[in-house]
Every structure is written in C-alpha cells, then in structure tokens.
Amino acid sequence: MLELEVYSHDILIIGAGLAGLRAAIAAAEVSKNLDIAVISKVYPMRSHSVCAQGGTAAVMREGDSHDLHAYDTVKGSDFLADQDVVEFFVKRASVELVKLEHWGMPWSRTEDGKIAQRAFGGHSFNRTCYSADLVGFQEMHTLYGRALAYDNIGFYDEWFVTSLIAEEGQAKGVTAIELKTGRMSAFRAKAIIMATGGACRIYRFTTYSHTATGDGMAIAYRAGAPLEDMEFVQFHPTALVPSGVLITEAARGEGGYLLNSKKERFMEKYAKEKMELAPRDIVSRAEMTEIMEGRAYTGPDRPYIALDLTHLGEEKINERLPFIREVAQRLIGVDPVHEHIPVAPAAHYSMGGISANIRTATPLPHLFAAGECACLSLHGANRLGSNSTAECLVFGAVAGEEAAKLALSSTLPSLPSDKLREEEKRVFDQVLGNEGGERISEIRRQMMNIMDDKVWIFRDEHGLAEAVKAIRALKEKFRRAKVEDTSRVFNLGLVNALELDFMLDLAEVTAFSALNRRESRGAHSRIDYPKRNDTDWLKHTLAYHTPDGPKLEYMPVTITKWKPVERKY
C-alpha cells in the first residue's frame, strides 16, 4: 500500500451544518493566523441543517427572561438537563440571534420592524424567532456566506471521514475518502471539532435527510469517547405520511389543530393547558395512544392523525407556512388551505451524543463536539422545539473559540502510520473487498424495522432485549456484506456500507441504553416502568465502546436552581 497523503491544519471541523459553520467562523475570529479546515461529505448547503423549519429560540422581548427560558428547558427535559449548561445557553442564545441579524439573516418581522417570534411547544413565552418556515435554510445561507469571507477557512467538500485517529489518549487527526477519486488521505490537527449531526437514520420512519447517519458519533465512540444518554430519542408528532418529511411545529404554533378520526382535538385529554403546544414527547405519546386505541384515520401506509390548518386562512398560511403548503401539495397532493394534512410521529432528534462539557470538550483531549452529535445535556430527556438551532449557534461558537485557544497553544501531532494502514485495510479490504453474500440494503432495512418495532415511542424489557440481540446478529451479518460496486470513483455503495457500519453501533448503543434505564422519563417511555424514578435514575448514561459491545456507566445530573418536580402541562 502507498503511504497516505497527510494534510495538516490547526483546526479540523467535521461537518458543515449550522454547528460546523458557526464553529469555523468563531475560530477564524479568534485569530486570522489559524488554518481552519471544514470537512463535509456533502456540499455545505446540502447539510441536513437546511431542513430546520420552525425557528430558533431566544429571549428577545420584555416580559420574557433568561430564567423563564431556562426553566422551560429544564422542565421540558424532564429534569435531566444539566442546569449550568442550560443557564449558559439561554444567555448566549440571545447574543447569537443578534449576530445572525448583523450578518444579514432575513428574519420575519413584526409591523414595527422587530424580529418576529412565535409560540412553540413547552415554551411559556412566544420566543421562537423565525423566517417564515425556512429558518434552517436561511441560517445556513447566512453562515456559509459569512464563512466564505474568511481567508483562513478552507473547505473539503464531498470528503467522507471514516475514522478518528487517537493515540496516547489524545485525538490527533482523521482519515477521509475524497469521493470523486476514492482516494483515502489523512488529516492531522491540533484540535478537532465533531459537528456531524444526529443518528435518527437508524429508524425507518424519520424526518432525517438520507445523508444524516450519525457518523461522527460512531467515529468518536470507536476512538474512546463515551456516548451519553443515547436512549433518549425525540419523536416529532407531525411527520408527513407516508414520506416522513417534517411538518414543522410552527404549524401548531400558528394555531393548527390535531384531530383524531372522530374529529376531536384529543390533546385536551393529555395536556389540557398546552393542548397541541405541549412538549413533543407528550404530543407523540398522545398520538400513538389515539392510534393504538383505534381513533386514528386509516391510510395505505400507516394510521395517521389529521393536522388541520384550514381555519388559519390562505393569507396566513402563505405568509407564515409557505413551505409546508408546498410540501403537502407536491408530495401528497393536499392543499392545507382546504384539506387536513396526514401526520404521524417520526424519529426526529438525538438528545444523546458524544459526551461533552459546557465548553464542548469531550473526555478525549483535543476533541470537541457541538450540535446534535454532541450531548452537553442541554436537552436532557426531551428537547423543546426551536432550542436545537439555537444550540448549534451557541455551542458551535463555543467549540470554535475553545478549539482556537487550544490550537494557539499546541503543536501539530504526528499520526501513527500503523493506525492509518489499519484503517485503509478496514475500508478497502474488509468492507469494499468483502466477497460475502449479505446485502447492505437488506441489513439496513432489517435494522430500521427492528428500531421502529422495538425501540419506538413505547418500550418494554422484552422488546428492547430482542432489539439488542437482533442488532448484534446484524452486526455479524455485516461482516459478510458485499459492496456491489467495486470501483473507487464516487462509490456511493461503499459510502452506504460505511454509514451502515456506524449506524449499527449507534442502534446497539441506543437499544442497550434504553434496556438498562428502567424508568420512564421524557422521550424514553417504558410501559413496564411507567413512572419517573428520581431516586435511582436521576443520572446520565455513558456508553463506552468495547469489543463485546457497549459498557455502561452513569454520572450525576447538575442541578443549580430547579429541583425536580412533577411535570405537568
């Protein structure tokens, strides 16, 4: 084998979504002498962040307060969020919103020219800033345009990162394949930031883009960084049936109703005060209960709930929810001005991720993590809508600043040649060169079916144990899986195989962590342990990679101001 070409940079950022771009800008602003590289498997404007629709939460008005936003977030988390992280976040979110405004973000406006804010589930104040229903798309354009203005930020677009190189207890670099040539190279850096998004492609019915496969989580996990709270998966109540495309919570924030087949606004039974604007875990469980008890509409793909926007009127829908109208018309031929939109809960967000502290540093020195791939435990057991884009901005900026400070005081590491050869052999001999008879697409289909059937909204011991066993059997099958395309140039079959390898690890950790948490809290709902148990389970799950599967440890939740109480809406 030829020696891998090695690229050297001060800072490597893996992922070019909201968190990755914000990190690059923050690092560039610390010093113009830092050499910053952003590696992404897609062009930045194709990152899954463009799919964010509803808005970004921040305290911007008289009558709201940082303490109020913080308490809403802590209560929404079912008291599993680390409260020091939450308090830092809500203060910094307001600053980030103003920065975006100064960089040209086209926010929707009130009549007096202020940034408009709308209602979102679990928030006690209308604090979700929005740009119609295209906030992620507009934020990405704003940040990408800003990043291009810095001479010291460079992009490696359509490069697929396959491993994190760690030695002597320190992250030193990565290996990556340039998709257009199929050539593997190595990158070394003084500091590395993971910003690769969440893991919900392990499910079949999901709001995720096909490229959002949680790679960074699995890569960090294999290199020795623990994954935290992976049992907590958010199910969004309104995904379009049958495709799973997101129908933003803003549709309910603007006044939409959820109706069962009896045309009842059934949320009155489950969250009398908040109704359709209860937190997502509560609304999703309510919908699933209606479905399971036979009060849903019957569809050719799956039972569904009706989302009714007809009373809002055409003018308001065109002003506030134009993309939702377009999606419904184009994908299923439904015009929400006149007809109900068929929706059902779908896997939407990973509350868990690479364990990181309030400064985004992971337990693996020189590795930082930000955005959905990270778990600073801002969201605990359940995230409030519109806190995710704010998290990407706040902690993307923190990661960039912290990585820059570390890079300015560090020297470039050398990469161990044996580990580079080992990774090259794994990718090209063991995966691409495998002559087994198993099919990648079939293993992926089976994994997604297991997750949808056994690790969905309602869980129990038997189903979770079966899921762990079945996923481990699929991992064995993967060892005999053949990539049909044996070429090197733009081999998406190889990319799909490597992504599946990562997803199988993440599915195993998710199911195993859920099996071992014997309580119900937030998005983790155990029908055999229906109550929240603060005596035994007010703690975070940490999963460490071993050859035999995840090894679990636990650590306490940080509580500053708000003691856990019963969560009612």
Side-chain angles (χ1 to χ4, degrees):
M1 287 184 177
L2 297 172
E3 287 292 318
L4 296 188
E5 183 174 0
V6 178
Y7 296 89
S8 299
H9 299 280
D10 293 315
I11 299 171
L12 277 182
I13 300 169
I14 317 302
L18 286 174
L21 291 177
R22 185 66 189 92
I25 293 164
E29 289 186 334
V30 169
S31 172
K32 64 181 179 183
N33 297 319
L34 286 169
D35 177 2
I36 302 154
V38 182
I39 307 177
S40 174
K41 69 178 177 182
V42 296
Y43 282 96
M45 286 309 302
R46 292 189 62 220
S47 299
H48 182 58
S49 290
V50 301
C51 297
Q53 296 171 359
T56 300
V59 174
M60 307 289 284
R61 292 278 193 285
E62 198 174 324
D64 199 5
S65 73
H66 291 129
D67 264 6
L68 199 56
H69 188 187
Y71 182 69
D72 289 345
T73 300
V74 169
K75 182 182 176 184
S77 80
D78 217 351
F79 295 90
L80 197 73
D82 285 334
Q83 295 178 18
D84 56 339
V85 175
V86 175
E87 290 188 82
F88 175 87
F89 161 75
V90 296
K91 291 171 185 170
R92 183 83 179 245
S94 305
V95 176
E96 287 296 319
L97 264 290
V98 174
K99 279 186 190 258
L100 270 187
E101 157 84 345
H102 291 171
W103 292 340
M105 172 74 187
W107 296 110
S108 293
R109 301 283 174 180
T110 60
E111 287 188 4
D112 60 358
K114 292 179 180 175
I115 296 172
Q117 293 180 288
R118 61 170 41 131
F120 247 63
H123 291 276
S124 56
F125 195 90
N126 292 6
R127 67 170 66 94
T128 297
C129 306
Y130 62 94
S131 183
D133 53 359
L134 290 162
V135 74
F137 179 81
Q138 302 290 15
E139 286 177 344
M140 281 290 292
H141 271 282
T142 303
L143 290 179
Y144 189 44
R146 181 74 179 179
L148 292 175
Y150 294 92
D151 292 335
N152 57 333
I153 299 175
F155 289 87
Y156 292 85
D157 297 331
E158 295 188 326
W159 283 70
F160 183 82
V161 174
T162 69
S163 75
L164 176 67
I165 303 299
E167 188 186 45
E168 298 161 344
Q170 176 187 324
K172 295 186 172 182
V174 302
T175 55
I177 300 169
E178 184 183 28
L179 296 183
K180 74 177 179 183
T181 63
R183 173 176 56 92
M184 180 179 279
S185 298
F187 293 77
R188 62 179 184 147
K190 300 171 184 176
I192 301 168
I193 301 171
M194 280 292 179
T196 53
C200 287
R201 263 283 145 200
I202 59 178
Y203 292 90
R204 183 179 71 251
F205 194 57
T206 175
T207 63
Y208 272 35
S209 302
H210 284 269
T211 55
T213 49
D215 310 333
M217 289 185 191
I219 288 167
Y221 172 64
R222 291 179 177 185
L227 296 178
E228 182 177 342
D229 290 345
M230 288 292 287
E231 62 266 44
F232 296 107
V233 177
Q234 180 163 91
F235 296 90
H236 197 289
T238 55
L240 187 67
V241 174
S243 66
V245 169
L246 177 66
I247 302 297
T248 174
E249 189 167 313
R252 287 171 284 133
E254 295 294 348
Y257 303 150
L258 293 173
L259 304 175
N260 63 19
S261 59
K262 297 182 176 182
K263 297 188 168 50
E264 298 168 328
R265 286 183 69 188
F266 57 86
M267 282 308 302
E268 188 172 13
K269 292 187 292 187
Y270 303 95
K272 191 172 180 64
E273 184 184 331
K274 285 287 189 181
M275 294 290 285
E276 286 89 355
L277 288 177
R280 290 173 180 172
D281 60 322
I282 292 172
V283 181
S284 291
R285 281 195 293 276
E287 289 184 347
M288 280 305 297
T289 301
E290 294 295 302
I291 290 168
M292 291 161 65
E293 293 181 357
R295 293 185 294 276
Y297 290 88
T298 303
D301 180 74
R302 65 183 62 231
Y304 66 86
I305 298 298
L307 174 61
D308 181 8
L309 308 180
T310 57
H311 54 286
L312 301 182
E314 186 169 12
E315 184 179 349
K316 186 172 184 178
I317 289 172
N318 285 343
E319 179 197 343
R320 304 284 182 88
L321 303 166
F323 183 62
I324 291 310
R325 186 180 188 189
E326 181 184 350
V327 163
Q329 286 177 311
R330 286 193 176 203
L331 296 187
I332 58 169
V334 165
D335 185 347
V337 172
H338 307 293
E339 303 165 270
H340 297 166
I341 304 173
V343 296
H348 177 67
Y349 187 87
S350 305
M351 268 78 74
I354 305 163
S355 185
N357 64 20
I358 197 168
R359 309 311 301 179
T360 71
T362 74
L364 185 61
H366 294 253
L367 177 67
F368 300 84
E372 195 180 346
C373 77
C375 181
L376 300 87
S377 205
L378 169 63
H379 310 300
N382 175 68
R383 174 177 69 79
L384 291 190
S386 71
N387 269 355
S388 60
T389 48
E391 176 196 18
C392 289
L393 298 170
V394 168
F395 290 107
V398 171
E401 292 160 4
E402 294 295 314
K405 284 190 277 187
L406 179 63
L408 288 170
S409 62
S410 303
T411 56
L412 271 170
S414 57
L415 298 181
S417 57
D418 58 327
K419 290 201 172 184
L420 301 184
R421 283 194 296 272
E422 195 178 293
E423 179 62 8
E424 194 175 16
K425 185 178 180 186
R426 180 185 79 87
V427 169
F428 294 119
D429 294 352
Q430 294 172 16
V431 179
L432 185 60
N434 198 315
E435 291 297 328
E438 300 289 350
R439 292 179 60 84
I440 299 294
S441 58
E442 180 59 21
I443 297 171
R444 184 174 59 233
R445 187 189 68 79
Q446 289 179 24
M447 173 194 71
M448 291 174 168
N449 286 344
I450 291 162
M451 297 302 289
D452 277 25
D453 293 342
K454 312 287 187 188
V455 199
W456 197 245
I457 292 170
F458 291 114
R459 304 165 172 182
D460 63 33
E461 188 98 9
H462 177 70
L464 292 169
E466 282 192 337
V468 171
K469 183 179 177 183
I471 290 161
R472 287 176 174 167
L474 290 181
K475 291 180 80 169
E476 285 302 311
K477 271 191 178 182
F478 181 81
R479 295 174 186 271
R480 304 184 299 278
K482 181 180 175 63
V483 177
E484 302 292 336
D485 180 0
T486 57
S487 71
R488 295 282 181 103
V489 175
F490 232 106
N491 188 340
L492 294 183
L494 174 60
V495 170
N496 290 339
L498 295 171
E499 288 173 337
L500 175 61
D501 192 18
F502 293 147
M503 286 193 288
L504 287 166
D505 271 0
L506 298 174
E508 180 186 27
V509 173
T510 300
F512 191 64
S513 298
L515 173 64
N516 282 277
R517 181 173 285 272
R518 292 175 172 88
E519 66 156 355
S520 289
R521 184 186 298 268
H524 175 66
S525 184
R526 289 282 298 258
I527 59 176
D528 46 352
Y529 297 95
K531 300 290 185 187
R532 193 180 83 194
N533 178 355
D534 290 337
T535 303
D536 299 321
W537 288 103
L538 188 62
K539 57 189 178 183
H540 299 299
T541 304
L542 293 176
Y544 290 86
H545 183 266
T546 78
D548 301 320
K551 178 176 76 111
L552 301 186
E553 295 180 3
Y554 296 91
M555 69 177 183
V557 176
T558 302
I559 295 172
T560 58
K561 291 181 180 176
W562 299 286
K563 301 294 182 192
V565 295
E566 187 182 356
R567 183 170 171 248
K568 289 182 178 177
Y569 291 94

